[in-house]
Amino acid sequence: MSQRVAIAGVSGRMGRQLLTAAMHSELDLAGCTVRPGDALVGADAGQLVGLTTGVEIVDDLAALSSDVDVLIDFTSPEATLRHLDYCVKQKIAMVIGTTGFSEAQLAAMKAAAARIPLCVAANFSIGVNLLLDVLSRTARLLGDGFDVEIVEAHHRHKVDAPSGTALAMGQAVAGALGRDLKAVANYGREGHTGARDPQTIGFSTIRGGDIVGEHTVLFAGDGERIEISHKASSRMAFASGAVRAAAWLCGQPPGYYDMQDVLGIGETSP
């Protein structure tokens, strides 16, 4: 029997992509939600992508008409945590692609993972997650002889900066170099900054237009420079990865997983 998936925030930019990806996967679409009061409440979810699903859009997870095995959530930190509370009570697995959480919110999510399987990632693109593994290996081989800078670009509507993906890249590099990212991250330079601290990992943020997502990690040494980049041209790359994670998560015990676990790469563990 196929696993049943629900999508939170289906009317958003990512929600529509997730709907399309889910409908072309091995999962059965069991429900879709929008914000309370949204004009789409009661409509067939398929109308968002020009199809018919027979699944009615609701504004509350408790109003879903069928059982759900896994919820995919790319909404906002506050909404995601509300949905997480519901999923814990109902023993529903959850895939979380929301970014911008506080330390306290992340701690609450990790506590919830003792009761249900959670897959949390800043980026569900297969390419980005392969790149995280490459960055860790590259940093370990290069050591402290190269300065590290991370440049990321996104559309004008993105509300958090640096992106969760950029931070994940910074963490991959910092971990490989034995550094604490919180201690060495530099999120902006202005005025007379003095010489660069060689332990620093710098971040630069670009916001504009409809840029889906671009990330470059620069390793700058004496006489040579290495640039490792990933550019997303469609949100479907993220949606397809999230749906793949949802299918994988249904067979897992409670735990805090990420996309590296789904793909079986890197050095992460539940």
Side-chain angles (χ1 to χ4, degrees):
M1 183 173 119
S2 296
Q3 302 295 330
R4 295 156 297 188
V5 63
I7 298 168
V10 72
S11 62
R13 287 183 294 273
M14 269 304 301
R16 294 173 190 240
Q17 297 292 321
L18 289 166
L19 175 61
T20 298
M23 292 180 65
H24 291 87
S25 75
E26 62 194 78
L27 300 173
D28 287 335
L29 184 66
C32 294
T33 73
V34 291
R35 293 178 180 177
D38 193 295
L40 287 168
V41 173
D44 186 301
Q47 79 174 48
L48 290 167
V49 292
L51 298 170
T52 300
T53 65
V55 173
E56 184 178 294
I57 296 174
V58 299
D59 60 5
D60 189 338
L61 286 175
L64 294 176
S65 60
S66 61
D67 292 335
V68 174
D69 295 303
V70 58
L71 174 70
I72 305 178
D73 190 312
F74 280 64
T75 56
S76 68
E78 294 74 20
T80 296
L81 289 177
R82 289 196 302 272
H83 299 157
L84 178 59
D85 286 341
Y86 178 84
C87 287
V88 168
K89 292 174 183 176
Q90 300 298 319
K91 303 298 183 185
I92 298 171
M94 195 169 175
V95 172
I96 298 175
T98 307
T99 59
F101 291 106
S102 67
E103 291 296 325
Q105 289 171 328
L106 287 171
M109 290 161 57
K110 290 180 179 178
R115 301 178 62 185
I116 62 172
L118 288 183
C119 184
V120 183
N123 193 307
F124 281 90
S125 150
I126 293 173
V128 161
N129 282 279
L130 289 173
L131 188 144
L132 289 174
D133 190 46
V134 169
L135 287 173
S136 180
R137 295 171 187 270
T138 301
R140 191 175 296 113
L141 288 169
L142 294 178
D144 291 327
F146 286 71
D147 297 323
V148 183
E149 296 286 325
I150 300 172
V151 182
E152 60 100 341
H154 283 85
H155 54 87
R156 63 169 68 96
H157 302 290
K158 187 166 179 61
V159 298
D160 58 310
S163 70
T165 302
L167 292 172
M169 291 176 172
Q171 188 59 61
V173 171
L177 294 173
R179 303 176 192 172
D180 178 359
L181 184 62
K182 292 180 182 178
V184 302
N186 186 324
Y187 298 114
R189 299 182 178 94
E190 182 180 7
H192 185 74
T193 62
R196 187 188 196 282
D197 181 340
Q199 294 292 300
T200 294
I201 295 177
F203 291 83
S204 299
T205 297
I206 298 168
R207 294 288 178 268
D210 62 355
I211 302 170
V212 174
E214 299 182 1
H215 297 83
T216 295
V217 180
L218 170 71
F219 295 90
D222 293 330
E224 62 179 333
R225 183 172 71 243
I226 300 169
E227 296 182 12
I228 301 175
S229 298
H230 179 275
K231 297 183 179 181
S233 57
S234 168
R235 291 183 178 85
M236 186 52 68
F238 315 135
S240 296
V243 169
R244 178 171 174 172
W248 178 87
L249 195 64
C250 288
Q252 304 305 316
Y256 194 85
Y257 303 95
D258 63 19
M259 194 60 181
Q260 303 255 308
D261 295 309
V262 175
L263 298 173
I265 59 175
E267 300 174 354
T268 56
S269 61

